[in-house]
Every structure is written in C-alpha cells, then in structure tokens.
Amino acid sequence: MSDRPVRFGIQTPQEGASYAALAEHWREAERLGYDTLWLDDHFYGVVTPAHADQLEAWVTLAALARETSRVRFGILVGCNSYRNPALVAKMAASLDSISGGRLEFGLGAGWFEKEYQAYGYDFPPIKQRLEQFAEALEICVRMWRDDRAEFAGKHYRVERAWNRPHPVQKPYPPIVIGGGGEKVLLKLVAQYAQVWNMGGSPAEFKHKMEILDRHCADVGRDPKEIERSWFGPLLIDDDADRLKRRLDKRAAAMGGVGAAMDERMIAGTPEQVIERIREFTAIGVTHFIAMFGRVDDLRATRLFAEKVIPAFR
C-alpha cells in the first residue's frame, strides 16, 4: 500500500483525431476532475491506418495546454530518437513556463521501427537506444538545473547551453519513464524518474516493483519517491450484457475466444472496475492512465468520472 493519493488520467491518442475533438475531450476531462491527460508520440497511426491524421505531439500539447487551466499533462511517452535532447529540454522548459508548471515529462528509448525508417531516422539496436536515452535524461536534468549546462557523452553533447526560462516546477518537471526492462530501464527509473509507468497485470507490477526497489537501493534512493502508474485499455460499461458483447468482439478481433478479460487491461461494470483498480492499489500502484478508445466519444470518460473516481477520493 502507498500513502500517495490515487490519480486518474486519460491518454487521448492523436490517431485519426481532429484537434477540435482532442480539445473538447481535454476540456471535459478537466471539468470532470481527471488529474492528468496525455498524448502519444507518433507521426502516423500505430493502430489506425497509417494515412489517417496524426497531429505532432509537442505542437499539439502546447495548444492543448491553453485549452485547460488545472489538469497536468504530458506525452506518454516521447521518443528520444526523434528530437535532439537539448532541444527537447528547451521545449519542455518553455511549455512548463507557458502552462504555469503543469508538465509531466515523459520520455522513452523508442521502439516503432517502421516509423524510424519512414522518417529517415537510424534505428540502432536496443542497447544503443538505451545508452542514448540515458544520456538524454542527464542532458535534460542539467539543462533544467544548471545556468550553463555542459555534457559530453558518447552520443550527445551540450556546451555551456543557456536554457531560460527554467521550468516553473522545482527542481524540474516530474520525469515519467515507461517500460519494464529489468536490467537497464528500471535502473534508469531508479536514477531519474519521479513517475514510473507500465502496462500489465497486478502480478507483473508486483514483480517489476520488487526489481525497481532493488535498483533504488543500489543507487541510494528511497523507492517511495517514485510514483507507480498503470497504463492500458480500460473498457467500462454500466450494462453488463452490452459489456459482454464488447469484450467478445474485442477478443475475436485479437484472435481470442469468449469474453475472457485480458489480464493487462481493466474492464467491467463500474463496480467491477473499482475492484480491479483496488487490486493494483493494494500493491502500491496509485496512478491509472486509461485508453478509452475513440477520442470523439466521451461516454466512457464521463461514466468513469461519475462512478469510479469518487470511490478513491
């Protein structure tokens, strides 16, 4: 168990979504009391057809910051390979300043090889991408913390780089790292992150958290400093029969059978969803970021806010 307050967020992927639909969803989610809102970082759809509209994440995030006034926001998670890390640190500091200190800074090593190829980026082996990711995190911290940041690494460098204004949040925006790689990724979480995000079942989380705690001990950090957050599909319906049909349809589309719930998702009536979330909070997960589906459909967003969130306030 954790003494942290439970937070709830939504990822609204840009895949096939108009800016108007994203803005409406964000305004309504803020009104309903959600704590965090997130975009993805892709240049074209991963699930939707590749030719569907896909707004660039950082540009869209800056615009959506002006559509809201309270809710915290970020990219879940940004791809380090797509932008120079010193530039990203500058962008993040600027956005934190513009929004009054509401940015949560999500960054990852990158994975979508076809997108790399399409946009002309090298796609090095995962070992090198993780090395680059580690250097990028260090550059961001120095850019936000120091007056004239300096860093000389194997892959990146900065030389007495100015970064004014500094972020509003002190010492800098919370760093969100997603993933469950046990040898390298979770060690970087222990070294740098204020928020760790992963998709998975309670059993998977429990296993990974034990490893994360060991990495924290190795680097001399209190593991309680790191918020643990769940991310994944969340299917909620107040009609049990309709819910079963939707689960059956999802299982068929994924090659499964029957209405068996995927252990990596949360699904059910509001009461069942509450109990499912409590399985996670019992082991210390305190932040839940849902993918509800179509950005222009607000029914699940409203139902979850009305029937589930109050159970944890």
Side-chain angles (χ1 to χ4, degrees):
M1 292 289 290
S2 171
D3 56 4
R4 287 178 178 270
V6 178
R7 298 202 295 168
F8 293 101
I10 308 171
Q11 190 197 53
T12 55
Q14 305 93 287
E15 298 186 21
S18 68
Y19 178 75
L22 287 163
E24 180 184 7
H25 209 128
W26 279 46
R27 290 191 298 264
E28 180 69 354
E30 180 173 75
R31 185 190 70 79
L32 290 167
Y34 285 89
D35 301 290
T36 62
L37 293 169
W38 306 83
L39 299 178
D40 67 23
D41 192 18
H42 291 291
F43 300 145
Y44 58 83
V46 177
V47 178
T48 59
H51 64 266
D53 288 353
Q54 176 86 16
L55 294 166
E56 194 279 330
W58 279 97
V59 171
T60 308
L61 199 64
L64 290 169
R66 301 295 293 170
E67 301 279 355
T68 57
S69 60
R70 174 197 58 80
V71 72
R72 299 181 63 78
F73 55 79
I75 299 170
L76 198 65
V77 287
C79 176
N80 175 61
S81 306
Y82 293 166
R83 304 165 191 88
N84 175 276
L87 172 63
V88 171
K90 178 66 177 178
M91 293 160 61
S94 297
L95 186 49
D96 199 55
S97 177
I98 289 167
S99 67
R102 293 187 286 134
L103 177 67
E104 305 220 347
F105 181 74
L107 195 64
W111 63 273
F112 192 23
E113 184 175 3
K114 290 194 299 184
E115 194 170 56
Y116 279 72
Q117 293 170 347
Y119 276 76
Y121 294 107
D122 292 335
F123 187 71
I126 184 59
K127 180 178 184 295
Q128 182 175 329
R129 279 180 282 134
L130 286 168
E131 289 176 354
Q132 292 169 330
F133 180 42
E135 289 189 10
L137 289 167
E138 184 62 28
I139 285 172
C140 287
V141 168
R142 295 188 188 198
M143 291 281 289
W144 296 331
R145 182 194 64 198
D146 301 342
D147 286 333
R148 302 288 300 277
E150 293 196 36
F151 179 84
K154 179 179 177 181
H155 303 285
Y156 304 117
R157 71 180 188 279
V158 292
E159 298 178 6
R160 293 180 54 77
W162 289 105
N163 185 24
R164 296 296 180 90
H166 279 330
V168 171
Q169 298 179 83
K170 303 303 179 189
Y172 40 77
I175 295 173
V176 183
I177 297 177
E182 297 180 3
K183 293 182 179 180
V184 179
L185 195 286
L186 289 179
K187 184 175 181 180
L188 291 174
V189 172
Q191 291 174 314
Y192 289 101
Q194 284 71 52
V195 182
W196 167 57
N197 180 263
M198 192 182 82
S201 68
E204 288 173 309
F205 261 92
K206 189 172 186 299
H207 170 70
K208 299 290 186 181
M209 287 195 293
E210 290 170 354
I211 294 168
L212 175 58
D213 289 352
R214 291 200 293 270
H215 282 304
C216 285
D218 290 342
V219 301
R221 189 168 180 206
D222 184 350
K224 293 181 180 179
E225 295 177 3
I226 303 171
E227 181 184 58
R228 290 102 197 278
S229 64
W230 173 92
F231 166 67
L234 199 155
L235 185 60
I236 184 171
D237 202 312
D238 53 6
D239 183 307
D241 291 335
R242 185 171 58 211
L243 174 67
K244 182 179 183 303
R245 292 193 297 272
R246 293 174 65 189
L247 284 168
D248 284 340
K249 182 178 179 181
R250 181 181 187 276
M254 297 182 67
V257 293
M261 184 190 299
D262 180 349
E263 281 294 305
R264 298 176 66 84
M265 73 180 295
I266 294 175
T269 63
E271 295 76 18
Q272 291 170 328
V273 168
I274 289 169
E275 290 308 307
R276 181 69 167 162
I277 290 173
R278 283 179 174 152
E279 293 180 32
F280 285 93
T281 60
I283 59 170
V285 180
T286 59
H287 190 180
F288 297 85
I289 302 169
M291 287 193 298
F292 287 128
R294 289 171 57 96
V295 172
D296 58 0
D297 186 345
L298 285 158
R299 289 175 295 179
T301 296
R302 289 170 175 150
L303 179 61
F304 187 91
E306 292 165 5
K307 297 293 183 66
V308 176
I309 291 178
F312 298 91
R313 294 295 192 236

